[in-house]
Amino acid sequence: MVGPAPADLVARREAASDSVVEVRGLVRDFDVSASWLHRTLSGEPRRVVKAVGGVSFDIRRGETLALVGESGSGKSTIAKMVVGLLPPTAGSIRIDGTDIWDPANAPKLRDLRRRFQMIFQDPFASLNPRWRVRDIIAEPLDVFGITRGRATRDRVGELLTTVKLTPEDGEKYPHQFSGGQRQRICIARALASEPEFLVCDEPTSALDVSVQAQILNLMRDLQDRLGLTYLFISHNLAVVRHMADRIGVLYLGGLAEVAPAKAMFRDPRHPYTRSLIDAIPDIDMTGRERTPITGEIPNPLDPPPGCTFHPRCPFARERCRREVPRAFAEASGALVACHGVEEGWVGQAPAGQKAV
Amino acid sequence: MTDAVLSVRNLVVEFPTRRGILRALDGISFDVGPGEILGVVGESGAGKSITGSAIIGLLDPPGRIAGGEIRLKGERIDNLPTERLNRIRGKRIGMVFQDPLTSLNPLFTVGQQLAETIQHHLRLGERESRQRAIDLLAEVGIPAPEARIDNYPHQFSGGMRQRVVIALALCAEPDFVIADEPTTALDVSVQAQVIQVFRRLCRERGTSAILITHDMGVIAEAADRVAVLYAGRIAEVGAVRDVLKRPLHPYTQGLMGSIPSLTGEGERLVQIPGAMPRLNAIPEGCAFNPRCPRVMDICRRERPPLIDADGACVTCWLYDERTEQPPAREAPAVGRPA
Ligand SMILES: Nc1ncnc2c1ncn2[C@@H]1O[C@H](COP(=O)(O)OP(=O)(O)OP(=O)(O)O)[C@@H](O)[C@H]1O
Ligand SMILES: Nc1ncnc2c1ncn2[C@@H]1O[C@H](COP(=O)(O)OP(=O)(O)O)[C@@H](O)[C@H]1O
Ligand code: SF4
Ligand code: SF4
Ligand SMILES: [Mg+2]
Ligand SMILES: [Mg+2]
């Protein structure tokens, strides 16, 4: 991982604000070893992927925190742990002060569950094809005992209208809808239990840009109207910049940088953030100078020692190869995990950027 | 353009099905000049891949070319017998697909595959072909090519494999390359590297290319001109800078406004209502008319022709002299600042 943000640092900086979600030292390992028998015979050791390696962040009420990162950086793994679908290996997740993975809190959880929901990338896989849309949306109303009978029917119609479909659409089946419409159905269903907090894992990545615009606008409208808090996950930096108040950049399961969205694009601090922003195609055709990042993401089974970004970092020095950088707070409000930024040697021109 | 390397005229592609004939491409025309990279962009199902497959004669059956012409350096290639077409493919037209593994044989080393293609098409000896292969790997930015040439495809990462495929597509020194979503399966940081390699190689060798993508960013990076497809038809063709910054067609205007900007203040995105129609439900007249904010009566009745306007071509009645609309280029109403 690039660097565990010391939990106490995050806690100190965020204490003053009203946080809905507090994530501290979150770790998730996956055992990807061959079978026990195979290992015994071949003498192969256990192999563990550290999908998430000590991540801490807060999400304040009514804000959108985005997590951005390339494939395999741990975005979905974090999302699943935050909504209670996947147990962490270590660390804690508090929602409204309640540690959702503490067994002692199990009785409180049912009530808490209705207050956070998740929207997934694939609107095709997440809807039961044999159910009518009205039953899909009514399910959470039922499960949480929110409404019954006629009230449920009215509420489903209302939810469909909220996502700009019509109550009549409730009679149809998922396959009768386009990708964008299906994502609206997923959103209607997620909103059914009147949650305050939504985790959205790549909600528009499967959609065309014109349909993506419809969904992003809808999500922003809903946030304004219902005061929702979002954890918004995407690999698309332009989308993230559009949606987020703050952005966390993940690399190989660790947070490289957390900063306010606009500030991060104006003045990215971490070398990885800089290269990611540099890699965005220049669609405004400003002729901006760009140096694409060299190399590729390392194998998560065998991550480099020290700063995991060092094999690709144009600023890397000896210390980076030895020591995992810990996050520190910059005056600007950004949290950055980089020796070079901390010691001031990551400055203006990159040292000897290689050509592709 | 008479010196076009590739010229497509009124191309129609149909898929006969039990419920009738589906027209996947309906009258597509464009030219690709010498050394030019033409971007073909559109939303999913617009007909981008079908355009590529039709040109290289690899339409999935029962798909067929039902009208129009395709010429490579003046010679018609849309009606050639299979064996002549097979000879053109690979030799005169190189191909790069979204998934590099479809172009690479897992059982042979990267070097064997490159050298074989070079030997076959350029009639070089074994030693020379191998040396040429090593040079090519170096050209596409594979570190230590002398060592990597004897690796199998699975020993390369996704981005490296796609670069090998680009090397493979260009090794026979073709007149023309078709790349269909070459970076879509790659990670963001790797996409930029691969696009740069593709563009540099085409430039250095003066190879013409069609670059198919759904990503306007890729177009902005690599293409000279761009054709925007909508429901199997061309909405507009023009220089990349014009189409991206001052689009003519109302669909392109909406499309550009719907892309989140990296410089704006996060204002509301432009929204085109609805979605692209399915092939069996394309409206009468202009295919975009039910979604168009500037629709006129004629748009619902008659299909707009490809009209020359301001150095570009656009299929929209707004630019026809018979309608009295101001045909000026304009920035999208909201969103991206010009
Ligand atoms: N169930 C699992 N078993 C083993 N490894 C897993 C499992 N789930 C995730 N991983 C690994 O954990 C790492 C993080 O995966 P994750 O799905 O969180 O990435 P992501 O950032 O969501 O990527 P993407 O952009 O591809 O969705 C990867 O190396 C992945 O291979
Ligand atoms: N084998 C096929 N049979 C019937 N229709 C097809 C077939 N292949 C593609 N199509 C249709 O042709 C249209 C264009 O497809 P395609 O060129 O693949 O779109 P894209 O622009 O996403 O690459 C789509 O509506 C698609 O459903
Ligand atoms: S300067 Fe060092 S610590 Fe900072 S990103 Fe580069 S390699 Fe990592
Ligand atoms: S022809 Fe008419 S409907 Fe079609 S894009 Fe132009 S104005 Fe709109
Ligand atoms: Mg994921
Ligand atoms: Mg396609």
Side-chain angles (χ1 to χ4, degrees):
Chain A
M1 83 231 91
V2 170
D8 55 315
L9 172 62
V10 175
R12 238 181 302 123
R13 289 170 39 78
E14 316 256 352
S17 60
D18 176 17
S19 296
V20 181
V21 182
E22 295 161 5
V23 172
R24 294 289 176 274
L26 194 62
V27 173
R28 173 68 211 204
D29 295 338
F30 287 107
D31 189 339
V32 292
S33 320
S35 70
W36 172 82
L37 183 66
H38 179 86
R39 271 188 286 122
T40 314
L41 293 178
S42 65
E44 237 177 59
R46 256 181 193 294
R47 289 154 78 82
V48 172
V49 178
K50 207 169 233 351
V52 177
V55 161
S56 303
F57 58 84
D58 277 25
I59 310 177
R60 297 167 200 153
R61 202 168 300 284
E63 83 164 345
T64 300
L65 175 79
L67 291 180
V68 64
E70 297 180 87
S71 186
S73 57
K75 306 183 292 296
S76 300
T77 307
I78 292 176
K80 287 185 206 143
M81 289 190 282
V82 169
V83 290
L85 290 174
L86 183 78
T89 306
S92 70
I93 298 159
R94 283 170 194 280
I95 296 188
D96 277 341
T98 307
D99 185 335
I100 63 166
W101 285 104
D102 182 348
N105 288 330
K108 283 200 249 173
L109 225 54
R110 195 187 135 81
D111 201 40
L112 199 62
R113 275 267 152 80
R114 24 179 307 191
R115 290 160 57 193
F116 54 98
Q117 290 291 334
M118 181 155 174
I119 300 168
F120 297 91
Q121 165 168 2
D122 188 355
F124 300 81
S126 46
L127 297 171
N128 186 332
R130 279 187 283 279
W131 285 19
R132 283 183 201 277
V133 165
R134 64 165 145 76
D135 299 325
I136 291 174
I137 298 176
E139 193 195 17
L141 295 170
D142 233 32
V143 169
F144 294 113
I146 299 167
T147 55
R148 273 191 206 169
R150 193 170 168 97
T152 297
R153 193 139 34 100
D154 291 349
R155 179 77 181 124
V156 168
E158 215 177 279
L159 285 162
L160 281 166
T161 315
T162 304
V163 297
K164 311 246 164 53
L165 294 170
T166 64
E168 293 74 51
D169 286 326
E171 298 307 310
K172 299 188 198 155
Y173 291 90
H175 75 260
Q176 292 172 280
F177 294 90
S178 68
Q181 289 171 322
R182 279 190 248 207
Q183 199 56 290
R184 287 170 198 269
I185 295 168
C186 294
I187 294 174
R189 180 187 146 93
L191 292 175
S193 61
E194 295 182 16
E196 291 144 46
F197 171 49
L198 282 185
V199 174
C200 318
D201 188 2
E202 309 250 11
T204 61
S205 301
L207 306 175
D208 276 318
V209 283
S210 74
V211 180
Q212 165 172 282
Q214 296 167 0
I215 300 294
L216 295 181
N217 283 346
L218 174 67
M219 288 184 60
R220 287 251 294 247
D221 291 347
L222 292 172
Q223 182 167 46
D224 291 348
R225 241 178 67 202
L226 308 172
L228 299 173
T229 304
Y230 289 138
L231 175 58
F232 186 93
I233 290 172
S234 177
H235 66 272
N236 182 324
L237 277 131
V239 167
V240 156
R241 181 183 183 277
H242 182 76
M243 293 298 285
D245 298 301
R246 288 187 306 138
I247 301 176
V249 178
L250 280 171
Y251 189 74
L252 233 65
L255 276 172
E257 174 168 2
V258 183
K262 301 277 148 50
M264 181 179 286
F265 277 79
R266 215 175 24 244
D267 183 20
R269 308 299 298 152
H270 194 282
Y272 177 60
T273 315
R274 295 176 180 217
S275 8
L276 264 189
I277 291 177
D278 238 18
I280 305 172
D282 182 13
I283 197 165
D284 288 318
M285 305 195 67
T286 52
R288 147 174 78 95
E289 249 330 290
R290 301 171 58 225
T291 19
I293 183 172
T294 52
E296 300 193 33
I297 300 175
N299 179 357
L301 275 171
D302 183 22
C307 171
T308 50
F309 187 57
H310 85 251
R312 304 173 78 188
C313 181
F315 304 98
R317 290 191 183 174
E318 186 44 38
R319 186 179 173 194
C320 309
R321 288 178 260 277
R322 281 193 332 256
E323 196 183 321
V324 175
R326 291 167 66 82
F328 73 99
E330 288 223 291
S332 66
L335 281 178
V336 185
C338 169
H339 298 310
V341 175
E342 189 166 22
E343 295 182 358
W345 83 66
V346 167
Q348 291 70 38
Q353 181 85 274
K354 276 175 288 185
V356 199
Chain B
M1 210 184 293
T2 47
D3 59 349
V5 173
L6 185 87
S7 160
V8 174
R9 283 290 166 276
N10 295 314
L11 182 65
V12 177
V13 169
E14 292 179 343
F15 286 93
T17 68
R18 260 174 295 143
R19 283 193 231 127
I21 289 174
L22 292 180
R23 224 164 228 224
L25 293 184
D26 193 355
I28 300 273
S29 301
F30 57 77
D31 284 332
V32 187
E36 180 177 68
I37 300 179
L38 176 78
V40 172
V41 74
E43 300 186 86
S44 75
K48 306 180 296 293
S49 297
I50 299 281
T51 304
S53 320
I55 293 169
I56 54 180
L58 282 181
L59 284 171
D60 281 334
R64 59 168 192 234
I65 295 180
E69 299 183 354
I70 304 169
R71 286 175 192 274
L72 182 64
K73 293 203 161 158
E75 177 199 357
R76 271 189 78 166
I77 57 167
D78 53 284
N79 52 5
L80 291 181
T82 319
E83 73 274 17
R84 295 253 337 259
L85 207 57
N86 285 342
R87 238 176 299 142
I88 286 183
R89 234 181 274 134
K91 167 75 189 101
R92 295 187 58 199
I93 304 184
M95 293 166 285
V96 182
F97 297 111
Q98 176 167 337
D99 178 3
L101 289 179
T102 57
S103 311
L104 295 171
N105 188 329
L107 302 179
F108 294 94
T109 67
V110 160
Q112 285 166 331
Q113 300 185 53
L114 279 168
E116 202 227 64
T117 314
I118 292 168
Q119 240 173 319
H120 179 76
H121 290 302
L122 299 185
R123 312 204 180 282
L124 292 178
E126 215 166 297
R127 290 254 312 272
E128 262 180 308
S129 299
R130 186 178 160 87
Q131 189 51 49
R132 187 72 74 99
I134 292 173
D135 294 346
L136 260 170
L137 286 183
E139 264 189 79
V140 294
I142 305 280
E146 295 88 355
R148 299 311 297 261
I149 191 162
D150 294 317
N151 286 169
Y152 289 88
H154 74 265
Q155 292 170 294
F156 285 74
S157 67
M160 286 162 86
R161 268 183 226 140
Q162 196 60 299
R163 291 192 228 182
V164 170
V165 172
I166 291 174
L168 200 56
L170 285 161
C171 70
E173 297 171 359
D175 298 325
F176 197 79
V177 175
I178 294 182
D180 190 354
E181 308 268 8
T183 58
T184 304
L186 305 177
D187 260 315
V188 194
S189 70
V190 181
Q191 280 185 7
Q193 303 167 4
V194 169
I195 273 300
Q196 285 208 355
V197 163
F198 179 78
R199 187 184 54 187
R200 182 167 51 77
L201 255 64
C202 288
R203 288 273 179 279
E204 283 170 9
R205 291 150 180 261
T207 311
S208 310
I210 286 187
L211 177 59
I212 296 172
T213 173
H214 68 279
D215 186 344
M216 280 292 190
V218 171
I219 297 286
E221 286 292 304
D224 302 303
R225 286 192 314 132
V226 56
V228 181
L229 291 196
Y230 184 81
R233 303 170 186 187
I234 290 210
E236 103 181 72
V237 192
V240 166
R241 176 170 280 275
D242 288 342
V243 174
L244 262 56
K245 300 209 70 147
R246 292 176 303 138
L248 294 171
H249 197 284
Y251 170 64
T252 325
Q253 290 171 358
L255 197 62
M256 291 313 300
S258 72
I259 302 172
S261 154
L262 285 173
T263 50
E265 272 312 302
E267 48 277 282
R268 245 182 114 71
L269 300 169
V270 175
Q271 224 170 286
I272 312 176
M276 200 169 63
R278 288 165 197 243
L279 291 184
N280 57 5
I282 295 185
E284 210 41 32
C286 171
F288 188 58
N289 86 66
R291 306 174 72 191
C292 182
R294 306 186 64 177
V295 58
M296 302 168 286
D297 277 340
I298 188 172
C299 310
R300 299 198 182 87
R301 289 193 317 267
E302 272 179 68
R303 236 181 105 169
L306 196 59
I307 296 162
D308 279 320
D310 204 1
C313 288
V314 55
T315 40
C316 170
W317 285 119
L318 290 173
Y319 302 91
D320 189 80
E321 25 191 57
R322 276 172 285 171
T323 58
E324 285 175 29
Q325 302 286 331
R329 280 195 183 278
E330 58 178 65
V334 200
R336 178 166 311 280

